[in-house]
Structures are given as C-alpha cells and as structure tokens.
Amino acid sequence: MGWLFMRDMGGHATPRAYLDNQFTYEREQHRLTVLASSMVGSTYYAACERIEASGERQVFAVICLTKTSTGARDGCTFGYKDMDETVGPYESDCPASILDELTETDYRHAIEWRLRCRANLVRRKLEKAKPTPKPGQTIIFDEPMRFSDGSDRSRFEVVANPKGKAPLFRDPESRAICRIPAFRKRAYRIVHAAIVVKDTADG
C-alpha cells in the first residue's frame, strides 16, 4: 500500500493514538483490535488481534512508516504507509512486548521478520552492556577503520564532547579529532588511563 497523507489526525494527539484507532474496528465478518503498540523513532509497530465471525483468532504485526510536517504546501501534516509482517518489512526494531503477543504463523516472510526483530533486540541489549568510553581512556576497535587519507586506524584516545553526550575520538598519531558514528555497534575494548601514584615517602 502507498502513502496516505492528511491535513490532521482527526483529533488524536499523536501518530500512535491515530494509528491505534485506525486499526481498531469491527466489521460484519471480523473484528480488529490493537493489543499493544509502540513508536520506535518514526516507525509504528502494533500487535493486532483479528477475530473472525467463526471465532478464529489471529494476532499479527502491523508496521507503519510515518511522516509529520508543519510546512507542507498542500496543508497535509501527517502521512503513513502501512504494511503487515507477511511482506517482510525492512524495519525490524519491534519491541519484545509486541512480539510476545503474536500468534504462530506459517508465512515465511513473517517468520524471518520476527527472527530479525529478536536478533536486533539481543544486539541492542549487548550494545547497552558494553562499557561506556570516558575521556582520558583509550578505545581499541577489533576491526580497523579506513580513513580518507588511506590509513587504517583502530586505536583512539577518548575526548569529551562539549556539544553533546557522544564522545569524540582522537588519533594518537595525527592528534586529529574525529567522530565515529554508531561506534557501539562495533566490537571494542577499553584501556584505562595509567594512574600515576606519587611517592610521598621521606628520603
């Protein structure tokens, strides 16, 4: 399905509230209810329960890409593109609370999507468990990075960032300061700065 754009969200305060309402309805042959939902960045994830008139129950995932704008020429302030898990969405950061609600499925793309989401949850957990580099420490990446001058570097001094929380890194040879985007996704180890102990003993 393509993008749908609208001038407002029909009185709903947030994209999540609007989409929860969109995917909660009752028809003659089935009923759809959002059991759980979440916004991860600008992507909406939901566990939707579908109950057929026969009583058959299924809970599947709905994923929506969203866009908001305040200066669109046509006056549209919100848009979304919806899909379900059976098409194997590229977006795969669905929270565990939603994945846990889903019932079993035979759709290959849905199964693969769920596995990717679970793998991403594990990866993010491991990333958060990594030690946070602090100014004065040395960080050594397992895989060297190629820079514009053609050199490969893996060892950097950690430098405080006066404009944000993300640390900066200094090449110990050139003394150049650089940023390493998404550095937590890389394998690394921290070397603590040496502590110099002053000898206060007499004589």
Side-chain angles (χ1 to χ4, degrees), residues 25 52 69-70 73 85 92 103 110 126 130 161 165 176:
Y25 59 80
E52 305 293 343
S69 174
T70 56
R73 293 182 178 179
E85 59 180 326
S92 50
T103 53
L126 292 175
K130 289 181 178 179
N161 185 350
K165 294 182 179 180

Side-chain angles (χ1 to χ4, degrees), residues 67-200:
K67 292 181 181 179
T68 56
S69 174
T70 56
R73 293 182 178 179
D74 58 4
C76 292
T77 61
F78 175 68
Y80 72 95
K81 179 179 181 181
D82 65 296
M83 63 199 87
D84 65 40
E85 59 180 326
T86 62
V87 301
Y90 173 80
E91 291 70 22
S92 50
D93 289 320
C94 185
S97 58
I98 293 174
L99 294 172
D100 292 343
E101 294 281 357
L102 308 180
T103 53
E104 293 186 5
T105 180
D106 294 328
Y107 289 98
R108 179 172 62 86
H109 290 317
I111 293 172
E112 292 174 350
W113 177 80
R114 295 182 187 187
L115 290 174
R116 290 202 309 276
C117 289
R118 294 290 186 184
N120 284 336
L121 287 170
V122 172
R123 175 182 56 77
R124 288 196 297 275
K125 184 177 181 179
L126 292 175
E127 288 174 2
K128 289 182 179 179
K130 289 181 178 179
T132 300
K134 298 178 180 179
Q137 294 180 329
T138 295
I139 186 170
I140 303 174
F141 293 94
D142 289 4
E143 295 185 8
M145 286 165 277
R146 176 65 56 89
F147 284 77
S148 58
D149 62 0
S151 63
D152 294 326
R153 305 170 196 172
S154 60
R155 188 184 187 98
F156 300 87
E157 298 170 357
V158 182
V159 181
N161 185 350
K163 296 183 179 180
K165 294 182 179 180
L168 299 176
F169 303 93
R170 179 166 55 210
D171 177 18
E173 295 183 9
S174 68
R175 310 306 291 173
I177 301 293
C178 62
R179 297 177 184 272
I180 302 178
F183 72 90
R184 283 189 175 275
K185 293 183 179 181
R186 300 175 180 271
Y188 63 80
R189 64 185 187 277
I190 298 293
V191 178
H192 292 272
I195 301 176
V196 178
V197 179
K198 184 179 181 180
D199 187 357
T200 58

